[in-house]
Amino acid sequence: MSDTHSQTGRPRKSAGFWKQTWREFRRRKLAVAALVFVAVLAIIALLSPAIAGTRPIVCQYKGKLYFPCLAYFNSSWENPIFQIDKFRKRYPMNLEAKDPDSWAVWPLTYNDPYRPVYANEWPDRPRNPTRDQGDPNEWNWFGTDQRGIDVFAQMVHGTRIALLVGFVSMGIAAFIGICVGALSGYFGGWVDVALSRLVELVLCIPVLVLILALLAIVEEPTIWHIMAVIGATRWTSIARLTRGEFLRLKEMDFVAAARTTGIGELRIILRYILPNALAPVLVPITFGIANAILTESALSFLGFGAPPPNPSWGTLLSAGRTNHLMWWLIVFPGLAIFFTVLAYNLIGEGLQEATDPRLRDGARA
């Protein structure tokens, strides 16, 4: 027989848990499509200065190469020579006037997420329209806001904030929730009682009210404060699920065997129980990312979100609320928020079905 099992006499190694989970996840077409959508958003966030901006991606100026577009990630990354030579953030004309031998590679669309484009700033380019005159056109694909700032550029650069809020805030929430749930489930007794009461206390307080109360303490909140606050209020479901997993796993034979060999409590938690408890925890983390993006958008809509001049989808929605004639300020950011939240929810459902044998068998039936 040509079968490998019959030739070697050894049983074929079964697929590991994560490999089996990925195999099951790939069978869910909507979940895979959602994962691809999130990957595209991540690429947009990473390449946002090359998609929309008024700074060159790369340029040669006075015999040296520079990357002015990096200033969109951090303003301090812009080379001081452009300030010394008084470019005033307007590169096309200044590069040619101050160094005729210069050259530059420009973004896909010449628009800035922080300011309007002025007349002839780009050759034969009109000034960005303001107020309700800024409907979508050949220069401004998604229109402009009241100040004349391009909506497409704000949405592209706002993708960074949307993804950062989701991943950073839920990273904080996951760390807090896993630590609290692990300690509560493993040690039990008064530790479990105290931490369970803490979880119940946080659950009793409306999340949005708690976030607004915490932000009121900070005089000048930044986007990082918002991420920290969202993370500090979204860990309860992760903690309860982790506690349940630890209560189940600590009674397993492999944990008892580890104790008999004299392994310390911390190593048992980190090396033996935690890796086996992580899979179910991924599901609420994925759903939490969607909730975090929705929460940040709601805060920005209410005026408590990312402070100016940071571009945010929720801030664009809030701007559209004051002028109903500017429908593009509501439609495009609203669709972005809807599809992003939907994508994370579909990924979460796919993970839930892929990791839960009962749901997996039910879906096959």
Side-chain angles (χ1 to χ4, degrees), residues 21 25 28 30-35 38 241 279-291 340-356 359:
T21 298
F25 182 84
R28 285 139 182 91
L30 280 177
V32 173
L35 186 62
V38 172
L241 186 56
V281 177
L282 289 177
V283 176
I285 290 176
T286 307
F287 285 123
I289 293 174
N291 287 330
T340 303
V341 172
L342 177 63
Y344 279 111
N345 283 330
L346 289 174
I347 293 172
E349 289 182 2
L351 280 174
Q352 193 171 28
E353 293 177 358
T355 55
D356 191 330
L359 294 176

PDB file of all heavy atoms in Angstrom, residues 21 25 28 30-35 38 241 279-291 340-356 359:
ATOM      1  N   THR A  21      -8.155  25.362  14.037  1.00  0.00           N
ATOM      2  CA  THR A  21      -8.997  26.558  14.104  1.00  0.00           C
ATOM      3  C   THR A  21      -8.915  27.353  12.809  1.00  0.00           C
ATOM      4  O   THR A  21      -9.933  27.809  12.274  1.00  0.00           O
ATOM      5  CB  THR A  21      -8.561  27.446  15.281  1.00  0.00           C
ATOM      6  OG1 THR A  21      -8.730  26.716  16.505  1.00  0.00           O
ATOM      7  CG2 THR A  21      -9.387  28.718  15.339  1.00  0.00           C
ATOM      8  N   PHE A  25     -11.838  28.183  10.274  1.00  0.00           N
ATOM      9  CA  PHE A  25     -12.141  29.588  10.019  1.00  0.00           C
ATOM     10  C   PHE A  25     -12.195  29.867   8.524  1.00  0.00           C
ATOM     11  O   PHE A  25     -13.036  30.633   8.043  1.00  0.00           O
ATOM     12  CB  PHE A  25     -11.084  30.470  10.690  1.00  0.00           C
ATOM     13  CG  PHE A  25     -11.320  31.949  10.542  1.00  0.00           C
ATOM     14  CD1 PHE A  25     -12.158  32.612  11.413  1.00  0.00           C
ATOM     15  CD2 PHE A  25     -10.709  32.664   9.523  1.00  0.00           C
ATOM     16  CE1 PHE A  25     -12.384  33.977  11.274  1.00  0.00           C
ATOM     17  CE2 PHE A  25     -10.926  34.017   9.377  1.00  0.00           C
ATOM     18  CZ  PHE A  25     -11.762  34.677  10.257  1.00  0.00           C
ATOM     19  N   ARG A  28     -15.452  29.670   6.448  1.00  0.00           N
ATOM     20  CA  ARG A  28     -16.475  30.700   6.593  1.00  0.00           C
ATOM     21  C   ARG A  28     -16.107  31.880   5.696  1.00  0.00           C
ATOM     22  O   ARG A  28     -15.274  32.715   6.058  1.00  0.00           O
ATOM     23  CB  ARG A  28     -16.602  31.100   8.054  1.00  0.00           C
ATOM     24  CG  ARG A  28     -17.329  30.031   8.856  1.00  0.00           C
ATOM     25  CD  ARG A  28     -16.736  29.784  10.204  1.00  0.00           C
ATOM     26  NE  ARG A  28     -17.468  28.706  10.882  1.00  0.00           N
ATOM     27  CZ  ARG A  28     -17.131  27.417  10.809  1.00  0.00           C
ATOM     28  NH1 ARG A  28     -16.079  27.040  10.089  1.00  0.00           N
ATOM     29  NH2 ARG A  28     -17.832  26.503  11.445  1.00  0.00           N
ATOM     30  N   LEU A  30     -17.615  34.608   4.673  1.00  0.00           N
ATOM     31  CA  LEU A  30     -17.839  35.982   5.126  1.00  0.00           C
ATOM     32  C   LEU A  30     -16.760  36.407   6.122  1.00  0.00           C
ATOM     33  O   LEU A  30     -16.282  37.552   6.077  1.00  0.00           O
ATOM     34  CB  LEU A  30     -19.228  36.100   5.762  1.00  0.00           C
ATOM     35  CG  LEU A  30     -20.414  36.225   4.815  1.00  0.00           C
ATOM     36  CD1 LEU A  30     -21.715  36.267   5.600  1.00  0.00           C
ATOM     37  CD2 LEU A  30     -20.284  37.470   3.950  1.00  0.00           C
ATOM     38  N   ALA A  31     -16.367  35.498   7.014  1.00  0.00           N
ATOM     39  CA  ALA A  31     -15.328  35.818   7.989  1.00  0.00           C
ATOM     40  C   ALA A  31     -13.993  36.066   7.303  1.00  0.00           C
ATOM     41  O   ALA A  31     -13.250  36.986   7.665  1.00  0.00           O
ATOM     42  CB  ALA A  31     -15.206  34.696   9.016  1.00  0.00           C
ATOM     43  N   VAL A  32     -13.671  35.261   6.296  1.00  0.00           N
ATOM     44  CA  VAL A  32     -12.422  35.450   5.552  1.00  0.00           C
ATOM     45  C   VAL A  32     -12.455  36.779   4.799  1.00  0.00           C
ATOM     46  O   VAL A  32     -11.458  37.519   4.770  1.00  0.00           O
ATOM     47  CB  VAL A  32     -12.183  34.274   4.588  1.00  0.00           C
ATOM     48  CG1 VAL A  32     -10.983  34.547   3.692  1.00  0.00           C
ATOM     49  CG2 VAL A  32     -11.970  32.984   5.370  1.00  0.00           C
ATOM     50  N   ALA A  33     -13.593  37.092   4.182  1.00  0.00           N
ATOM     51  CA  ALA A  33     -13.719  38.374   3.478  1.00  0.00           C
ATOM     52  C   ALA A  33     -13.556  39.547   4.447  1.00  0.00           C
ATOM     53  O   ALA A  33     -12.928  40.560   4.116  1.00  0.00           O
ATOM     54  CB  ALA A  33     -15.075  38.451   2.782  1.00  0.00           C
ATOM     55  N   ALA A  34     -14.114  39.400   5.648  1.00  0.00           N
ATOM     56  CA  ALA A  34     -13.964  40.448   6.661  1.00  0.00           C
ATOM     57  C   ALA A  34     -12.507  40.599   7.085  1.00  0.00           C
ATOM     58  O   ALA A  34     -12.017  41.716   7.295  1.00  0.00           O
ATOM     59  CB  ALA A  34     -14.837  40.121   7.876  1.00  0.00           C
ATOM     60  N   LEU A  35     -11.805  39.476   7.199  1.00  0.00           N
ATOM     61  CA  LEU A  35     -10.388  39.520   7.558  1.00  0.00           C
ATOM     62  C   LEU A  35      -9.583  40.221   6.474  1.00  0.00           C
ATOM     63  O   LEU A  35      -8.672  41.013   6.780  1.00  0.00           O
ATOM     64  CB  LEU A  35      -9.869  38.098   7.775  1.00  0.00           C
ATOM     65  CG  LEU A  35      -8.438  37.964   8.303  1.00  0.00           C
ATOM     66  CD1 LEU A  35      -8.310  38.604   9.677  1.00  0.00           C
ATOM     67  CD2 LEU A  35      -8.028  36.495   8.367  1.00  0.00           C
ATOM     68  N   VAL A  38     -10.192  43.983   6.792  1.00  0.00           N
ATOM     69  CA  VAL A  38      -9.407  44.582   7.875  1.00  0.00           C
ATOM     70  C   VAL A  38      -7.936  44.687   7.470  1.00  0.00           C
ATOM     71  O   VAL A  38      -7.259  45.677   7.791  1.00  0.00           O
ATOM     72  CB  VAL A  38      -9.560  43.760   9.167  1.00  0.00           C
ATOM     73  CG1 VAL A  38      -8.603  44.242  10.251  1.00  0.00           C
ATOM     74  CG2 VAL A  38     -10.997  43.852   9.677  1.00  0.00           C
ATOM     75  N   LEU A 241     -14.613  35.487  31.358  1.00  0.00           N
ATOM     76  CA  LEU A 241     -14.370  34.308  30.532  1.00  0.00           C
ATOM     77  C   LEU A 241     -13.053  33.628  30.921  1.00  0.00           C
ATOM     78  O   LEU A 241     -12.975  32.398  30.997  1.00  0.00           O
ATOM     79  CB  LEU A 241     -14.344  34.707  29.056  1.00  0.00           C
ATOM     80  CG  LEU A 241     -14.232  33.569  28.039  1.00  0.00           C
ATOM     81  CD1 LEU A 241     -15.356  32.554  28.234  1.00  0.00           C
ATOM     82  CD2 LEU A 241     -14.265  34.109  26.624  1.00  0.00           C
ATOM     83  N   ALA A 279      -7.577  30.710  23.605  1.00  0.00           N
ATOM     84  CA  ALA A 279      -8.418  30.582  22.410  1.00  0.00           C
ATOM     85  C   ALA A 279      -9.831  31.147  22.604  1.00  0.00           C
ATOM     86  O   ALA A 279     -10.294  31.955  21.787  1.00  0.00           O
ATOM     87  CB  ALA A 279      -8.470  29.128  21.967  1.00  0.00           C
ATOM     88  N   PRO A 280     -10.558  30.774  23.657  1.00  0.00           N
ATOM     89  CA  PRO A 280     -11.909  31.352  23.820  1.00  0.00           C
ATOM     90  C   PRO A 280     -11.880  32.852  24.092  1.00  0.00           C
ATOM     91  O   PRO A 280     -12.849  33.557  23.803  1.00  0.00           O
ATOM     92  CB  PRO A 280     -12.478  30.583  25.027  1.00  0.00           C
ATOM     93  CG  PRO A 280     -11.633  29.360  25.150  1.00  0.00           C
ATOM     94  CD  PRO A 280     -10.281  29.761  24.686  1.00  0.00           C
ATOM     95  N   VAL A 281     -10.761  33.358  24.641  1.00  0.00           N
ATOM     96  CA  VAL A 281     -10.674  34.778  24.981  1.00  0.00           C
ATOM     97  C   VAL A 281     -10.530  35.634  23.724  1.00  0.00           C
ATOM     98  O   VAL A 281     -10.887  36.815  23.725  1.00  0.00           O
ATOM     99  CB  VAL A 281      -9.487  35.013  25.949  1.00  0.00           C
ATOM    100  CG1 VAL A 281      -9.313  36.495  26.267  1.00  0.00           C
ATOM    101  CG2 VAL A 281      -9.705  34.239  27.245  1.00  0.00           C
ATOM    102  N   LEU A 282     -10.034  35.060  22.640  1.00  0.00           N
ATOM    103  CA  LEU A 282      -9.862  35.820  21.402  1.00  0.00           C
ATOM    104  C   LEU A 282     -11.187  36.329  20.853  1.00  0.00           C
ATOM    105  O   LEU A 282     -11.228  37.379  20.206  1.00  0.00           O
ATOM    106  CB  LEU A 282      -9.172  34.949  20.341  1.00  0.00           C
ATOM    107  CG  LEU A 282      -7.699  34.638  20.562  1.00  0.00           C
ATOM    108  CD1 LEU A 282      -7.196  33.709  19.469  1.00  0.00           C
ATOM    109  CD2 LEU A 282      -6.870  35.911  20.592  1.00  0.00           C
ATOM    110  N   VAL A 283     -12.250  35.589  21.092  1.00  0.00           N
ATOM    111  CA  VAL A 283     -13.554  35.978  20.551  1.00  0.00           C
ATOM    112  C   VAL A 283     -14.039  37.299  21.149  1.00  0.00           C
ATOM    113  O   VAL A 283     -14.352  38.245  20.401  1.00  0.00           O
ATOM    114  CB  VAL A 283     -14.585  34.849  20.756  1.00  0.00           C
ATOM    115  CG1 VAL A 283     -15.953  35.303  20.278  1.00  0.00           C
ATOM    116  CG2 VAL A 283     -14.148  33.588  20.012  1.00  0.00           C
ATOM    117  N   PRO A 284     -14.121  37.452  22.495  1.00  0.00           N
ATOM    118  CA  PRO A 284     -14.546  38.758  23.021  1.00  0.00           C
ATOM    119  C   PRO A 284     -13.566  39.881  22.709  1.00  0.00           C
ATOM    120  O   PRO A 284     -13.978  41.042  22.617  1.00  0.00           O
ATOM    121  CB  PRO A 284     -14.641  38.517  24.532  1.00  0.00           C
ATOM    122  CG  PRO A 284     -13.809  37.316  24.799  1.00  0.00           C
ATOM    123  CD  PRO A 284     -13.926  36.469  23.576  1.00  0.00           C
ATOM    124  N   ILE A 285     -12.284  39.569  22.524  1.00  0.00           N
ATOM    125  CA  ILE A 285     -11.325  40.607  22.149  1.00  0.00           C
ATOM    126  C   ILE A 285     -11.660  41.142  20.762  1.00  0.00           C
ATOM    127  O   ILE A 285     -11.640  42.351  20.517  1.00  0.00           O
ATOM    128  CB  ILE A 285      -9.884  40.056  22.198  1.00  0.00           C
ATOM    129  CG1 ILE A 285      -9.456  39.804  23.647  1.00  0.00           C
ATOM    130  CG2 ILE A 285      -8.914  41.033  21.541  1.00  0.00           C
ATOM    131  CD1 ILE A 285      -8.081  39.182  23.784  1.00  0.00           C
ATOM    132  N   THR A 286     -11.989  40.241  19.841  1.00  0.00           N
ATOM    133  CA  THR A 286     -12.344  40.660  18.484  1.00  0.00           C
ATOM    134  C   THR A 286     -13.613  41.513  18.481  1.00  0.00           C
ATOM    135  O   THR A 286     -13.670  42.558  17.841  1.00  0.00           O
ATOM    136  CB  THR A 286     -12.541  39.434  17.582  1.00  0.00           C
ATOM    137  OG1 THR A 286     -11.389  38.596  17.662  1.00  0.00           O
ATOM    138  CG2 THR A 286     -12.756  39.849  16.146  1.00  0.00           C
ATOM    139  N   PHE A 287     -14.632  41.046  19.208  1.00  0.00           N
ATOM    140  CA  PHE A 287     -15.852  41.854  19.326  1.00  0.00           C
ATOM    141  C   PHE A 287     -15.547  43.187  20.018  1.00  0.00           C
ATOM    142  O   PHE A 287     -16.145  44.214  19.702  1.00  0.00           O
ATOM    143  CB  PHE A 287     -16.920  41.093  20.112  1.00  0.00           C
ATOM    144  CG  PHE A 287     -17.576  39.986  19.329  1.00  0.00           C
ATOM    145  CD1 PHE A 287     -17.569  38.688  19.801  1.00  0.00           C
ATOM    146  CD2 PHE A 287     -18.192  40.235  18.125  1.00  0.00           C
ATOM    147  CE1 PHE A 287     -18.166  37.651  19.091  1.00  0.00           C
ATOM    148  CE2 PHE A 287     -18.790  39.211  17.393  1.00  0.00           C
ATOM    149  CZ  PHE A 287     -18.775  37.922  17.879  1.00  0.00           C
ATOM    150  N   GLY A 288     -14.622  43.155  20.979  1.00  0.00           N
ATOM    151  CA  GLY A 288     -14.264  44.374  21.705  1.00  0.00           C
ATOM    152  C   GLY A 288     -13.614  45.415  20.827  1.00  0.00           C
ATOM    153  O   GLY A 288     -13.787  46.619  21.047  1.00  0.00           O
ATOM    154  N   ILE A 289     -12.831  44.980  19.837  1.00  0.00           N
ATOM    155  CA  ILE A 289     -12.218  45.935  18.910  1.00  0.00           C
ATOM    156  C   ILE A 289     -13.304  46.704  18.163  1.00  0.00           C
ATOM    157  O   ILE A 289     -13.221  47.928  18.004  1.00  0.00           O
ATOM    158  CB  ILE A 289     -11.285  45.202  17.925  1.00  0.00           C
ATOM    159  CG1 ILE A 289     -10.074  44.626  18.667  1.00  0.00           C
ATOM    160  CG2 ILE A 289     -10.820  46.137  16.819  1.00  0.00           C
ATOM    161  CD1 ILE A 289      -9.170  43.776  17.802  1.00  0.00           C
ATOM    162  N   ALA A 290     -14.332  45.988  17.708  1.00  0.00           N
ATOM    163  CA  ALA A 290     -15.453  46.659  17.033  1.00  0.00           C
ATOM    164  C   ALA A 290     -16.142  47.643  17.975  1.00  0.00           C
ATOM    165  O   ALA A 290     -16.461  48.776  17.579  1.00  0.00           O
ATOM    166  CB  ALA A 290     -16.445  45.614  16.532  1.00  0.00           C
ATOM    167  N   ASN A 291     -16.358  47.235  19.227  1.00  0.00           N
ATOM    168  CA  ASN A 291     -17.002  48.132  20.200  1.00  0.00           C
ATOM    169  C   ASN A 291     -16.142  49.348  20.495  1.00  0.00           C
ATOM    170  O   ASN A 291     -16.653  50.456  20.701  1.00  0.00           O
ATOM    171  CB  ASN A 291     -17.285  47.372  21.497  1.00  0.00           C
ATOM    172  CG  ASN A 291     -18.432  46.393  21.344  1.00  0.00           C
ATOM    173  OD1 ASN A 291     -19.346  46.625  20.557  1.00  0.00           O
ATOM    174  ND2 ASN A 291     -18.389  45.296  22.090  1.00  0.00           N
ATOM    175  N   THR A 340     -16.470  48.645   8.921  1.00  0.00           N
ATOM    176  CA  THR A 340     -15.368  48.231   9.803  1.00  0.00           C
ATOM    177  C   THR A 340     -15.895  47.472  11.010  1.00  0.00           C
ATOM    178  O   THR A 340     -15.367  46.406  11.365  1.00  0.00           O
ATOM    179  CB  THR A 340     -14.561  49.461  10.255  1.00  0.00           C
ATOM    180  OG1 THR A 340     -14.080  50.161   9.104  1.00  0.00           O
ATOM    181  CG2 THR A 340     -13.379  49.042  11.118  1.00  0.00           C
ATOM    182  N   VAL A 341     -16.925  47.998  11.645  1.00  0.00           N
ATOM    183  CA  VAL A 341     -17.517  47.309  12.798  1.00  0.00           C
ATOM    184  C   VAL A 341     -18.110  45.973  12.370  1.00  0.00           C
ATOM    185  O   VAL A 341     -17.954  44.953  13.067  1.00  0.00           O
ATOM    186  CB  VAL A 341     -18.587  48.209  13.455  1.00  0.00           C
ATOM    187  CG1 VAL A 341     -19.350  47.442  14.526  1.00  0.00           C
ATOM    188  CG2 VAL A 341     -17.937  49.441  14.074  1.00  0.00           C
ATOM    189  N   LEU A 342     -18.789  45.954  11.217  1.00  0.00           N
ATOM    190  CA  LEU A 342     -19.354  44.713  10.705  1.00  0.00           C
ATOM    191  C   LEU A 342     -18.252  43.685  10.448  1.00  0.00           C
ATOM    192  O   LEU A 342     -18.420  42.486  10.758  1.00  0.00           O
ATOM    193  CB  LEU A 342     -20.132  44.983   9.421  1.00  0.00           C
ATOM    194  CG  LEU A 342     -20.735  43.760   8.712  1.00  0.00           C
ATOM    195  CD1 LEU A 342     -21.772  43.086   9.604  1.00  0.00           C
ATOM    196  CD2 LEU A 342     -21.352  44.165   7.373  1.00  0.00           C
ATOM    197  N   ALA A 343     -17.119  44.115   9.890  1.00  0.00           N
ATOM    198  CA  ALA A 343     -16.021  43.193   9.589  1.00  0.00           C
ATOM    199  C   ALA A 343     -15.486  42.544  10.862  1.00  0.00           C
ATOM    200  O   ALA A 343     -15.271  41.323  10.913  1.00  0.00           O
ATOM    201  CB  ALA A 343     -14.902  43.935   8.858  1.00  0.00           C
ATOM    202  N   TYR A 344     -15.280  43.330  11.908  1.00  0.00           N
ATOM    203  CA  TYR A 344     -14.771  42.757  13.157  1.00  0.00           C
ATOM    204  C   TYR A 344     -15.790  41.813  13.791  1.00  0.00           C
ATOM    205  O   TYR A 344     -15.414  40.793  14.372  1.00  0.00           O
ATOM    206  CB  TYR A 344     -14.385  43.867  14.136  1.00  0.00           C
ATOM    207  CG  TYR A 344     -13.025  44.453  13.859  1.00  0.00           C
ATOM    208  CD1 TYR A 344     -12.884  45.746  13.382  1.00  0.00           C
ATOM    209  CD2 TYR A 344     -11.873  43.698  14.075  1.00  0.00           C
ATOM    210  CE1 TYR A 344     -11.631  46.280  13.125  1.00  0.00           C
ATOM    211  CE2 TYR A 344     -10.624  44.233  13.820  1.00  0.00           C
ATOM    212  CZ  TYR A 344     -10.506  45.522  13.350  1.00  0.00           C
ATOM    213  OH  TYR A 344      -9.269  46.040  13.089  1.00  0.00           O
ATOM    214  N   ASN A 345     -17.051  42.148  13.683  1.00  0.00           N
ATOM    215  CA  ASN A 345     -18.078  41.247  14.225  1.00  0.00           C
ATOM    216  C   ASN A 345     -18.120  39.930  13.452  1.00  0.00           C
ATOM    217  O   ASN A 345     -18.294  38.857  14.047  1.00  0.00           O
ATOM    218  CB  ASN A 345     -19.446  41.930  14.175  1.00  0.00           C
ATOM    219  CG  ASN A 345     -19.632  42.951  15.276  1.00  0.00           C
ATOM    220  OD1 ASN A 345     -19.061  42.815  16.357  1.00  0.00           O
ATOM    221  ND2 ASN A 345     -20.408  43.981  15.017  1.00  0.00           N
ATOM    222  N   LEU A 346     -17.962  39.991  12.134  1.00  0.00           N
ATOM    223  CA  LEU A 346     -17.932  38.760  11.334  1.00  0.00           C
ATOM    224  C   LEU A 346     -16.700  37.919  11.668  1.00  0.00           C
ATOM    225  O   LEU A 346     -16.782  36.684  11.730  1.00  0.00           O
ATOM    226  CB  LEU A 346     -17.942  39.103   9.846  1.00  0.00           C
ATOM    227  CG  LEU A 346     -19.258  39.653   9.281  1.00  0.00           C
ATOM    228  CD1 LEU A 346     -19.080  40.096   7.829  1.00  0.00           C
ATOM    229  CD2 LEU A 346     -20.368  38.604   9.386  1.00  0.00           C
ATOM    230  N   ILE A 347     -15.564  38.573  11.902  1.00  0.00           N
ATOM    231  CA  ILE A 347     -14.362  37.836  12.313  1.00  0.00           C
ATOM    232  C   ILE A 347     -14.590  37.174  13.662  1.00  0.00           C
ATOM    233  O   ILE A 347     -14.208  36.014  13.883  1.00  0.00           O
ATOM    234  CB  ILE A 347     -13.147  38.780  12.357  1.00  0.00           C
ATOM    235  CG1 ILE A 347     -12.796  39.255  10.949  1.00  0.00           C
ATOM    236  CG2 ILE A 347     -11.942  38.078  12.984  1.00  0.00           C
ATOM    237  CD1 ILE A 347     -11.733  40.341  10.917  1.00  0.00           C
ATOM    238  N   GLY A 348     -15.215  37.910  14.576  1.00  0.00           N
ATOM    239  CA  GLY A 348     -15.507  37.343  15.888  1.00  0.00           C
ATOM    240  C   GLY A 348     -16.431  36.144  15.809  1.00  0.00           C
ATOM    241  O   GLY A 348     -16.211  35.127  16.485  1.00  0.00           O
ATOM    242  N   GLU A 349     -17.465  36.234  14.979  1.00  0.00           N
ATOM    243  CA  GLU A 349     -18.373  35.099  14.810  1.00  0.00           C
ATOM    244  C   GLU A 349     -17.656  33.908  14.173  1.00  0.00           C
ATOM    245  O   GLU A 349     -17.885  32.757  14.551  1.00  0.00           O
ATOM    246  CB  GLU A 349     -19.572  35.517  13.954  1.00  0.00           C
ATOM    247  CG  GLU A 349     -20.533  36.452  14.665  1.00  0.00           C
ATOM    248  CD  GLU A 349     -21.731  36.801  13.804  1.00  0.00           C
ATOM    249  OE1 GLU A 349     -21.814  36.271  12.675  1.00  0.00           O
ATOM    250  OE2 GLU A 349     -22.574  37.599  14.249  1.00  0.00           O
ATOM    251  N   GLY A 350     -16.789  34.200  13.201  1.00  0.00           N
ATOM    252  CA  GLY A 350     -16.029  33.120  12.583  1.00  0.00           C
ATOM    253  C   GLY A 350     -15.113  32.418  13.570  1.00  0.00           C
ATOM    254  O   GLY A 350     -15.020  31.184  13.578  1.00  0.00           O
ATOM    255  N   LEU A 351     -14.442  33.193  14.423  1.00  0.00           N
ATOM    256  CA  LEU A 351     -13.587  32.600  15.457  1.00  0.00           C
ATOM    257  C   LEU A 351     -14.404  31.795  16.453  1.00  0.00           C
ATOM    258  O   LEU A 351     -13.989  30.720  16.904  1.00  0.00           O
ATOM    259  CB  LEU A 351     -12.814  33.704  16.189  1.00  0.00           C
ATOM    260  CG  LEU A 351     -11.572  34.254  15.496  1.00  0.00           C
ATOM    261  CD1 LEU A 351     -11.021  35.432  16.284  1.00  0.00           C
ATOM    262  CD2 LEU A 351     -10.519  33.166  15.350  1.00  0.00           C
ATOM    263  N   GLN A 352     -15.568  32.325  16.810  1.00  0.00           N
ATOM    264  CA  GLN A 352     -16.421  31.619  17.768  1.00  0.00           C
ATOM    265  C   GLN A 352     -16.861  30.269  17.219  1.00  0.00           C
ATOM    266  O   GLN A 352     -16.834  29.258  17.927  1.00  0.00           O
ATOM    267  CB  GLN A 352     -17.634  32.495  18.095  1.00  0.00           C
ATOM    268  CG  GLN A 352     -18.430  32.025  19.295  1.00  0.00           C
ATOM    269  CD  GLN A 352     -19.477  33.040  19.696  1.00  0.00           C
ATOM    270  OE1 GLN A 352     -19.971  33.801  18.877  1.00  0.00           O
ATOM    271  NE2 GLN A 352     -19.822  33.067  20.964  1.00  0.00           N
ATOM    272  N   GLU A 353     -17.255  30.225  15.968  1.00  0.00           N
ATOM    273  CA  GLU A 353     -17.670  28.960  15.367  1.00  0.00           C
ATOM    274  C   GLU A 353     -16.484  28.016  15.158  1.00  0.00           C
ATOM    275  O   GLU A 353     -16.624  26.800  15.286  1.00  0.00           O
ATOM    276  CB  GLU A 353     -18.360  29.228  14.031  1.00  0.00           C
ATOM    277  CG  GLU A 353     -19.698  29.949  14.170  1.00  0.00           C
ATOM    278  CD  GLU A 353     -20.325  30.264  12.829  1.00  0.00           C
ATOM    279  OE1 GLU A 353     -19.688  29.949  11.800  1.00  0.00           O
ATOM    280  OE2 GLU A 353     -21.430  30.827  12.800  1.00  0.00           O
ATOM    281  N   ALA A 354     -15.311  28.578  14.843  1.00  0.00           N
ATOM    282  CA  ALA A 354     -14.144  27.741  14.583  1.00  0.00           C
ATOM    283  C   ALA A 354     -13.569  27.135  15.856  1.00  0.00           C
ATOM    284  O   ALA A 354     -12.968  26.056  15.821  1.00  0.00           O
ATOM    285  CB  ALA A 354     -13.065  28.556  13.865  1.00  0.00           C
ATOM    286  N   THR A 355     -13.743  27.799  17.005  1.00  0.00           N
ATOM    287  CA  THR A 355     -13.165  27.304  18.252  1.00  0.00           C
ATOM    288  C   THR A 355     -14.158  26.532  19.114  1.00  0.00           C
ATOM    289  O   THR A 355     -13.748  25.853  20.052  1.00  0.00           O
ATOM    290  CB  THR A 355     -12.608  28.477  19.089  1.00  0.00           C
ATOM    291  OG1 THR A 355     -13.645  29.450  19.303  1.00  0.00           O
ATOM    292  CG2 THR A 355     -11.442  29.142  18.375  1.00  0.00           C
ATOM    293  N   ASP A 356     -15.448  26.643  18.811  1.00  0.00           N
ATOM    294  CA  ASP A 356     -16.463  25.955  19.610  1.00  0.00           C
ATOM    295  C   ASP A 356     -16.969  24.743  18.828  1.00  0.00           C
ATOM    296  O   ASP A 356     -17.648  24.894  17.806  1.00  0.00           O
ATOM    297  CB  ASP A 356     -17.630  26.905  19.920  1.00  0.00           C
ATOM    298  CG  ASP A 356     -18.574  26.336  20.961  1.00  0.00           C
ATOM    299  OD1 ASP A 356     -18.706  25.094  21.031  1.00  0.00           O
ATOM    300  OD2 ASP A 356     -19.181  27.110  21.709  1.00  0.00           O
ATOM    301  N   LEU A 359     -20.840  24.737  18.009  1.00  0.00           N
ATOM    302  CA  LEU A 359     -21.258  25.610  16.915  1.00  0.00           C
ATOM    303  C   LEU A 359     -20.741  25.090  15.580  1.00  0.00           C
ATOM    304  O   LEU A 359     -21.420  25.196  14.551  1.00  0.00           O
ATOM    305  CB  LEU A 359     -20.725  27.030  17.161  1.00  0.00           C
ATOM    306  CG  LEU A 359     -21.306  27.763  18.382  1.00  0.00           C
ATOM    307  CD1 LEU A 359     -20.618  29.098  18.550  1.00  0.00           C
ATOM    308  CD2 LEU A 359     -22.798  27.962  18.219  1.00  0.00           C
TER     309      LEU A 359
END
